[in-house]
Amino acid sequence: MGVTIIHQKVVWVILGMGLVTYVPRWFPLMLMSRRNLPKWLVDWLDLIPAAILSALLVPELVTNGMPRHMSLWQPELWVAFPTFIFALKTKSLGGTVVIGMVLFWLAQSVI
Amino acid sequence: MTYKRIYIQTTYRFSLIFMQDSGIKTSILQGLSAAWPICLGYIPIGLAFGVLAQKAGLDPIEIMLMSILVFAGSSQFIAVSMLSTGAGAVSIIITTFAVNLRHLLMSSSLAVFLGNTTRKKLSLFAYGVTDESFAVNQTRFSQNIWSLDQALVVNHAANIAWVVSSVIGGYSGRFIHEGAFGIDYALTAMFICLLIFQLRGRLYVITAVIAGVVAVILSLIIPGSSYIVLASIFAATTVLGIKKWALR
């Protein structure tokens, strides 16, 4: 078995990445969880999950490539419709993941 | 809507039954039953990350170290591809910061539900805030059927799936061919369902539509992933503004 060489640069990169990723996750919890937040801020934060999930999802469905361009004729988008309906009817996260995977797999093997 | 109500009621009733039983064991069981779709979604992506990281010259220990210390999928992919092109440490870290800044919004949104707890537990919880665990936990917190203990189980189950699959990818991922079983679509399907959980009324639907459209436009104009944060802030602010103006 060879000796594992840990490259020094990689370790510094990992430590730095860990720090700059943890702080934004930690800071709001420390700052905001023990205070009474103003009502407008609570209302605003209440809208954030819907906004952020949509902002993560929709470009994934309708754009492609590097640099990104519109791409409406891709299985990512077309599979999303039946998956969406399934999720809406069942409210099952696990079921939706499995159905989405199967449909995407089928779509890819057809195309 | 009836489906959702029945689902919430039954889940709530079940959680009451379990709570009488109390104890760590039920928290773990409830957490795991919420976490398994996340774990399923992380496995292919963790494997893929492990393969790429190995190709970029990272050994399994470094892969494990990165998955444990960073635990943020997309930024890890980007970091590994930057490493393989010989980018400098500082630019990789700054890019990571920009990509993961969206967690600031997620933790803020979760903070509303976490008033009654110790700083130590919150610090532990902060470690596991990802797109997926955030959405799963936030939905349950807002239904009043969730506690920090169950949320911690979700976070750490997802973390274990991520670390283990990325290390396995580093060893053996080259044997798994790309696109098998539609695994590339696991997280997209998960986001579709998580988004539906968030659409609890007209305001949320309008917010999601604005965020989606703006995100697409921005993602075509600006390289990188800053469009996620910008579109989310824009959509939430716009809808809140409209609501305030309409109520006046």
Side-chain angles (χ1 to χ4, degrees):
Chain A
M1 217 174 107
V3 180
T4 309
I5 302 158
I6 299 183
H7 320 287
Q8 216 175 1
K9 179 190 165 189
V10 172
V11 172
W12 281 114
V13 166
I14 292 170
L15 289 174
M17 287 175 70
L19 185 71
V20 300
T21 304
Y22 183 71
V23 170
R25 284 170 168 167
W26 173 82
F27 185 68
L29 286 170
M30 285 298 130
L31 187 74
M32 297 161 76
S33 62
R34 279 156 183 274
R35 285 166 210 214
N36 282 323
L37 301 174
K39 187 169 183 306
W40 65 265
L41 185 57
V42 175
D43 288 348
W44 189 79
L45 289 172
D46 187 43
L47 295 171
I48 283 295
I52 212 161
L53 285 165
S54 186
L56 282 165
L57 174 69
V58 182
E60 198 72 21
L61 301 179
V62 300
T63 71
N64 203 350
M66 252 320 150
R68 281 181 288 261
H69 55 268
M70 283 299 273
S71 169
L72 296 178
W73 296 106
Q74 56 183 1
E76 280 84 351
L77 178 61
W78 294 103
V79 169
F81 293 111
T83 308
F84 187 89
I85 292 165
F86 180 89
L88 202 62
K89 295 279 177 205
T90 65
K91 308 279 185 210
S92 156
L93 187 61
T96 306
V97 170
V98 172
I99 287 290
M101 282 166 60
V102 170
L103 290 175
F104 190 69
W105 189 37
L106 289 174
Q108 275 186 323
S109 40
V110 167
I111 291 164
Chain B
M1 277 297 130
T2 34
Y3 276 111
K4 192 168 182 182
R5 208 167 299 140
I6 291 165
Y7 170 78
I8 293 168
Q9 280 172 354
T10 41
T11 329
Y12 182 58
R13 227 167 275 155
F14 267 113
S15 67
L16 282 182
I17 294 163
F18 278 123
M19 266 172 211
Q20 287 164 355
D21 214 82
S22 89
I24 301 163
K25 211 170 152 188
T26 45
S27 282
I28 291 174
L29 283 176
Q30 289 171 322
L32 289 179
S33 75
W36 77 263
I38 302 180
C39 299
L40 181 67
Y42 278 2
I43 290 167
I45 295 165
L47 288 172
F49 167 71
V51 175
L52 281 179
Q54 182 238 359
K55 280 182 185 152
L58 273 71
D59 58 42
I61 290 181
E62 291 165 343
I63 294 172
M64 186 171 75
L65 201 64
M66 191 188 277
S67 284
I68 289 173
L69 289 181
V70 183
F71 188 31
S74 44
S75 67
Q76 288 182 230
F77 275 96
I78 294 165
V80 160
S81 73
M82 287 179 82
L83 275 173
S84 61
T85 59
V90 173
S91 65
I92 297 173
I93 292 166
I94 291 172
T95 306
T96 303
F97 179 69
V99 170
N100 291 336
L101 202 56
R102 66 183 186 283
H103 297 137
L104 193 79
L105 290 179
M106 298 180 192
S107 282
S108 307
S109 165
L110 288 165
V112 177
F113 305 103
L114 296 170
N116 272 326
T117 186
T118 60
R119 281 168 178 271
K120 223 170 158 182
K121 258 191 171 175
L122 276 182
S123 300
L124 183 64
F125 178 70
Y127 164 72
V129 176
T130 64
D131 300 347
E132 296 78 19
S133 72
F134 155 72
V136 165
N137 286 325
Q138 207 274 349
T139 308
R140 285 173 166 75
F141 276 130
S142 65
Q143 294 167 358
N144 288 318
I145 56 168
W146 218 227
S147 72
L148 187 58
D149 290 336
Q150 292 148 322
L152 279 169
V153 174
V154 169
N155 287 8
H156 285 89
N159 181 247
I160 289 167
W162 176 248
V163 174
V164 170
S165 58
S166 60
V167 173
I168 292 173
Y171 276 116
S172 61
R174 70 201 106 156
F175 300 120
I176 296 162
H177 66 96
E178 262 178 69
F181 311 117
I183 48 184
D184 300 335
Y185 207 68
L187 282 190
T188 310
M190 191 188 300
F191 280 135
I192 289 173
C193 192
L194 290 172
L195 177 61
I196 287 171
F197 287 161
Q198 292 296 334
L199 302 179
R200 288 167 282 148
R202 197 185 297 166
L203 276 183
Y204 303 95
V205 175
I206 299 169
T207 309
V209 170
I210 295 176
V213 172
V214 173
V216 169
I217 295 168
L218 290 179
S219 76
L220 295 172
I221 302 170
I222 326 169
S225 58
S226 56
Y227 67 89
I228 299 166
V229 170
L230 294 175
S232 304
I233 290 177
F234 177 83
T237 310
T238 306
V239 171
L240 194 63
I242 293 170
K243 191 180 144 194
K244 283 265 158 72
W245 176 79
L247 286 176
R248 212 163 26 171

